[in-house]
PDB file of all heavy atoms in Angstrom:
ATOM      1  N   TYR A  48      -4.848  -4.702 -10.594  1.00  0.00           N
ATOM      2  CA  TYR A  48      -5.621  -3.425 -10.475  1.00  0.00           C
ATOM      3  C   TYR A  48      -6.532  -3.230 -11.745  1.00  0.00           C
ATOM      4  O   TYR A  48      -6.286  -3.768 -12.808  1.00  0.00           O
ATOM      5  CB  TYR A  48      -4.686  -2.233 -10.275  1.00  0.00           C
ATOM      6  CG  TYR A  48      -4.228  -1.454 -11.534  1.00  0.00           C
ATOM      7  CD1 TYR A  48      -4.963  -0.360 -11.893  1.00  0.00           C
ATOM      8  CD2 TYR A  48      -3.154  -1.791 -12.241  1.00  0.00           C
ATOM      9  CE1 TYR A  48      -4.621   0.485 -12.984  1.00  0.00           C
ATOM     10  CE2 TYR A  48      -2.814  -0.977 -13.297  1.00  0.00           C
ATOM     11  CZ  TYR A  48      -3.408   0.097 -13.665  1.00  0.00           C
ATOM     12  OH  TYR A  48      -3.084   0.936 -14.742  1.00  0.00           O
ATOM     13  N   ASP A 101      -2.939   9.517  -8.729  1.00  0.00           N
ATOM     14  CA  ASP A 101      -3.174   8.142  -8.394  1.00  0.00           C
ATOM     15  C   ASP A 101      -2.679   7.752  -7.047  1.00  0.00           C
ATOM     16  O   ASP A 101      -2.156   6.714  -6.744  1.00  0.00           O
ATOM     17  CB  ASP A 101      -2.440   7.186  -9.430  1.00  0.00           C
ATOM     18  CG  ASP A 101      -3.381   6.988 -10.632  1.00  0.00           C
ATOM     19  OD1 ASP A 101      -4.581   6.711 -10.421  1.00  0.00           O
ATOM     20  OD2 ASP A 101      -2.867   7.012 -11.741  1.00  0.00           O
ATOM     21  N   THR A 102      -2.788   8.611  -6.033  1.00  0.00           N
ATOM     22  CA  THR A 102      -2.486   8.421  -4.718  1.00  0.00           C
ATOM     23  C   THR A 102      -3.478   7.292  -4.176  1.00  0.00           C
ATOM     24  O   THR A 102      -4.669   7.492  -4.317  1.00  0.00           O
ATOM     25  CB  THR A 102      -2.585   9.642  -3.830  1.00  0.00           C
ATOM     26  OG1 THR A 102      -1.549  10.554  -4.305  1.00  0.00           O
ATOM     27  CG2 THR A 102      -2.353   9.329  -2.272  1.00  0.00           C
ATOM     28  N   GLN A 103      -2.938   6.240  -3.680  1.00  0.00           N
ATOM     29  CA  GLN A 103      -3.737   5.061  -3.305  1.00  0.00           C
ATOM     30  C   GLN A 103      -4.157   5.174  -1.810  1.00  0.00           C
ATOM     31  O   GLN A 103      -3.305   5.394  -0.959  1.00  0.00           O
ATOM     32  CB  GLN A 103      -3.024   3.756  -3.525  1.00  0.00           C
ATOM     33  CG  GLN A 103      -2.780   3.603  -5.066  1.00  0.00           C
ATOM     34  CD  GLN A 103      -2.086   2.363  -5.435  1.00  0.00           C
ATOM     35  OE1 GLN A 103      -2.136   1.288  -4.768  1.00  0.00           O
ATOM     36  NE2 GLN A 103      -1.268   2.378  -6.531  1.00  0.00           N
ATOM     37  N   PHE A 105      -6.115   3.126   1.282  1.00  0.00           N
ATOM     38  CA  PHE A 105      -6.309   1.700   1.684  1.00  0.00           C
ATOM     39  C   PHE A 105      -7.505   1.484   2.438  1.00  0.00           C
ATOM     40  O   PHE A 105      -7.885   2.351   3.357  1.00  0.00           O
ATOM     41  CB  PHE A 105      -5.113   1.065   2.268  1.00  0.00           C
ATOM     42  CG  PHE A 105      -3.986   0.850   1.361  1.00  0.00           C
ATOM     43  CD1 PHE A 105      -3.102   1.921   0.875  1.00  0.00           C
ATOM     44  CD2 PHE A 105      -3.727  -0.402   0.800  1.00  0.00           C
ATOM     45  CE1 PHE A 105      -2.135   1.663  -0.081  1.00  0.00           C
ATOM     46  CE2 PHE A 105      -2.750  -0.672  -0.078  1.00  0.00           C
ATOM     47  CZ  PHE A 105      -1.936   0.381  -0.505  1.00  0.00           C
TER      48      PHE A 105
ATOM     49  N   TYR B  37       3.745   5.569   4.054  1.00  0.00           N
ATOM     50  CA  TYR B  37       2.535   5.118   4.678  1.00  0.00           C
ATOM     51  C   TYR B  37       2.847   4.609   6.082  1.00  0.00           C
ATOM     52  O   TYR B  37       4.035   4.123   6.204  1.00  0.00           O
ATOM     53  CB  TYR B  37       1.868   3.902   3.876  1.00  0.00           C
ATOM     54  CG  TYR B  37       1.217   4.272   2.565  1.00  0.00           C
ATOM     55  CD1 TYR B  37       1.982   4.274   1.375  1.00  0.00           C
ATOM     56  CD2 TYR B  37      -0.171   4.550   2.507  1.00  0.00           C
ATOM     57  CE1 TYR B  37       1.286   4.661   0.122  1.00  0.00           C
ATOM     58  CE2 TYR B  37      -0.782   4.802   1.315  1.00  0.00           C
ATOM     59  CZ  TYR B  37      -0.054   4.862   0.215  1.00  0.00           C
ATOM     60  OH  TYR B  37      -0.639   5.176  -1.049  1.00  0.00           O
ATOM     61  N   GLN B  44      -5.259  -0.187   9.703  1.00  0.00           N
ATOM     62  CA  GLN B  44      -5.108  -0.056   8.292  1.00  0.00           C
ATOM     63  C   GLN B  44      -3.966   0.864   7.831  1.00  0.00           C
ATOM     64  O   GLN B  44      -3.493   1.707   8.672  1.00  0.00           O
ATOM     65  CB  GLN B  44      -6.393   0.332   7.570  1.00  0.00           C
ATOM     66  CG  GLN B  44      -6.866   1.733   7.718  1.00  0.00           C
ATOM     67  CD  GLN B  44      -8.290   1.980   7.225  1.00  0.00           C
ATOM     68  OE1 GLN B  44      -9.257   1.533   7.812  1.00  0.00           O
ATOM     69  NE2 GLN B  44      -8.385   2.637   6.101  1.00  0.00           N
ATOM     70  N   ARG B  50       3.282  12.381   0.558  1.00  0.00           N
ATOM     71  CA  ARG B  50       3.693  12.074  -0.843  1.00  0.00           C
ATOM     72  C   ARG B  50       4.515  13.098  -1.428  1.00  0.00           C
ATOM     73  O   ARG B  50       4.457  14.249  -1.053  1.00  0.00           O
ATOM     74  CB  ARG B  50       2.388  11.701  -1.758  1.00  0.00           C
ATOM     75  CG  ARG B  50       1.676  13.041  -2.064  1.00  0.00           C
ATOM     76  CD  ARG B  50       0.467  12.649  -2.868  1.00  0.00           C
ATOM     77  NE  ARG B  50      -0.291  13.970  -3.240  1.00  0.00           N
ATOM     78  CZ  ARG B  50      -1.456  13.918  -3.793  1.00  0.00           C
ATOM     79  NH1 ARG B  50      -2.194  12.843  -4.050  1.00  0.00           N
ATOM     80  NH2 ARG B  50      -2.046  15.092  -4.048  1.00  0.00           N
ATOM     81  N   ASN B 100       0.745   1.370 -18.529  1.00  0.00           N
ATOM     82  CA  ASN B 100      -0.466   1.148 -17.595  1.00  0.00           C
ATOM     83  C   ASN B 100      -0.011   0.867 -16.111  1.00  0.00           C
ATOM     84  O   ASN B 100      -0.849   0.623 -15.291  1.00  0.00           O
ATOM     85  CB  ASN B 100      -1.190  -0.010 -18.051  1.00  0.00           C
ATOM     86  CG  ASN B 100      -2.101   0.343 -19.232  1.00  0.00           C
ATOM     87  OD1 ASN B 100      -2.629   1.443 -19.324  1.00  0.00           O
ATOM     88  ND2 ASN B 100      -2.357  -0.709 -20.105  1.00  0.00           N
TER      89      ASN B 100
END
Side-chain angles (χ1 to χ4, degrees):
Chain A
Y48 96 92
D101 275 316
T102 298
Q103 295 179 30
F105 285 80
Chain B
Y37 286 88
Q44 71 189 74
R50 70 180 181 193
N100 282 329

